[in-house]
Amino acid sequence: MAVCESGELIDEPKREMPGPSLAQRLQKYSFVDWLMCYLLLGLGAHLDTRPPFEQYIGNRLDDPSISYPHTPRELQQITTTQLYVCALWLPLGVIVVLQLLLRRAGRVDLNVELNQAMLGLLSSLALALTLVCFIKINVGRLRPDFLARCVPIAGKCSRSGEEVTEG
């Protein structure tokens, strides 16, 4: 409030506060964290395409730990689509629903909290993918159904490709 020459009180014009800067907006929504998450996810996806650890099997043809029968992909209990639903979409749906419920309970900034929750979920999945693929490539052991997938002849696999390496 200000006083004019005649002694009357007048309202001062409100000054518009400048909006948040680009750096503040990027920090608020964790731009660097998302970038690191996507880099980790990209690394994991790259490692997933690498060939697995190879080892000589000639002396292990009678090993019971790799002699289980093979279950074809069509008969598997969890399909690839179901895996993505259970690991990504179901938790993401629960996070969104809980965030909406918390918003009604008086939490202020839904966008920031939802951003952090999604970042946490995707970061954990990216880290799990990267670590599992890294270990599988470097020190992995043979699958329990390896001999059924490989069908060895004279100590060498008679099959190759995804039929043997993917599971």
Side-chain angles (χ1 to χ4, degrees):
M1 302 290 272
V3 179
C4 68
E5 295 175 4
S6 64
E8 296 177 29
L9 293 175
I10 58 170
D11 288 332
E12 288 183 0
K14 293 183 180 178
R15 294 183 184 152
E16 292 289 324
M17 295 296 292
S21 69
L22 178 62
Q24 290 170 330
R25 282 184 283 175
L26 290 177
Q27 184 180 7
K28 180 178 179 181
Y29 291 108
S30 311
F31 177 75
V32 174
D33 295 336
W34 279 105
L35 182 66
M36 289 293 130
C37 180
Y38 282 120
L39 287 174
L40 191 60
L41 187 62
L43 177 63
H46 172 71
L47 289 175
D48 197 31
T49 62
R50 305 284 302 165
F53 181 71
E54 293 185 20
Q55 50 189 294
Y56 178 69
I57 62 163
N59 58 350
R60 298 185 63 193
L61 296 177
D62 295 327
D63 186 352
S65 70
I66 60 172
S67 300
Y68 289 89
H70 173 60
T71 303
R73 189 171 286 220
E74 307 83 48
L75 300 176
Q76 291 179 357
Q77 292 181 353
I78 300 286
T79 64
T80 304
T81 304
Q82 291 170 334
L83 176 68
Y84 285 115
V85 168
C86 291
L88 176 65
W89 297 110
L90 184 65
L92 191 60
V94 169
I95 287 170
V96 168
V97 168
L98 287 175
Q99 290 296 321
L100 291 173
L101 291 174
L102 289 175
R103 179 179 177 190
R104 291 190 180 141
R107 298 299 280 265
V108 179
D109 200 350
L110 174 70
N111 292 339
V112 173
E113 291 202 13
L114 185 59
N115 176 57
Q116 294 300 316
M118 291 184 347
L119 180 62
L121 174 66
L122 292 177
S123 294
S124 64
L125 291 174
L127 182 62
L129 172 68
T130 303
L131 288 177
V132 165
C133 290
F134 182 77
I135 292 170
K136 181 174 68 172
I137 290 169
N138 291 304
V139 294
R141 61 181 292 269
L142 297 173
R143 295 184 169 278
D145 63 350
F146 180 76
L147 292 179
R149 290 173 180 252
C150 175
V151 188
I153 298 174
K156 294 190 177 194
C157 281
S158 62
R159 295 182 184 163
S160 63
E162 279 193 16
E163 188 175 10
V164 176
T165 60
E166 293 298 317

